[in-house]
Amino acid sequence: MRRGIPAVSGGASSPTAVRERERDRERERDRDEGLLRTEFAFELPRGYVDGSGTVHRSGVMRLATARDELVPLRDDRVRENSAYLSVVLISRVITRLGSIEDIHPGVVEDLFASDLAFLQDFYRRINSEGHTRASVTCPSCQENFAVDLAGGGGGGRLGES
């Protein structure tokens, strides 16, 4: 269990808890060594379904550069429809989605709306706030706590044990 953050699933020695402790140690080591974290793992709520029917949920997004935010503004699709900006921008900063490494606007176009909304929020968090944590309130007991939107990479989803 992380400082002040209740465990989302599993016991103290569950695979999820072990992964959480390892990620926390890695973050603290990077912070202590003054390293800048530029890539962030994530887990999509639904997942991208490719042409063969394979669902890809885990991925990696890197920090955006100024070029990443400027280049899409010259794209004709963005000029015709400003809503397309997020599609082009997200496709530039995702480096991997499941086994797919060639992420292009067509891949992002085919995401479920909930996954695109997740990635837009994830992009904002890592590029503006510098972290992937979100403050949430339990609907049952109304207690506030933080969760890491990056997910565990082990298949466990929020609310699942």
Side-chain angles (χ1 to χ4, degrees):
M1 185 153 95
R2 288 180 284 184
R3 293 178 216 126
I5 302 173
V8 174
S9 63
S13 62
S14 74
T16 301
V18 171
R19 278 193 305 275
E20 283 293 315
R21 284 194 304 273
E22 288 171 3
R23 270 204 327 252
D24 286 345
R25 279 192 293 265
E26 186 176 308
R27 285 184 193 124
E28 288 177 18
R29 186 177 56 247
D30 288 351
R31 193 172 28 248
D32 292 343
E33 294 175 6
L35 299 176
L36 174 64
R37 184 172 175 204
T38 60
E39 292 192 330
F40 297 82
F42 62 83
E43 195 82 19
L44 293 175
R46 299 204 188 287
Y48 169 73
V49 182
D50 67 18
S52 67
T54 303
V55 179
H56 304 270
R57 291 188 59 231
S58 62
V60 175
M61 181 182 289
R62 65 173 173 76
L63 289 177
T65 63
R67 179 182 307 275
D68 290 322
E69 294 199 348
L70 293 171
V71 168
L73 299 175
R74 295 190 306 244
D75 189 303
D76 289 335
R77 297 167 294 188
V78 173
R79 287 183 179 167
E80 292 173 20
N81 180 0
S82 62
Y84 202 74
L85 174 62
S86 66
V87 170
V88 176
L89 185 55
I90 296 293
S91 72
R92 290 182 61 88
V93 296
I94 294 178
T95 59
R96 183 183 55 76
L97 183 56
S99 61
I100 303 168
E101 292 183 3
D102 178 25
I103 310 299
H104 51 81
V107 171
V108 178
E109 285 176 356
D110 288 339
L111 289 171
F112 293 106
S114 59
D115 288 333
L116 179 58
F118 170 87
L119 289 171
Q120 289 168 328
D121 184 57
F122 194 74
Y123 175 92
R124 182 186 58 76
R125 286 184 182 282
I126 68 172
N127 286 286
S128 298
E129 301 173 13
H131 61 79
T132 58
R133 292 177 308 281
S135 180
V136 296
T137 304
C138 175
S140 298
C141 68
Q142 303 303 309
E143 183 176 342
N144 293 320
F145 59 97
V147 294
D148 191 340
L149 296 176
R157 291 167 52 180
L158 217 58
E160 294 180 350
S161 18

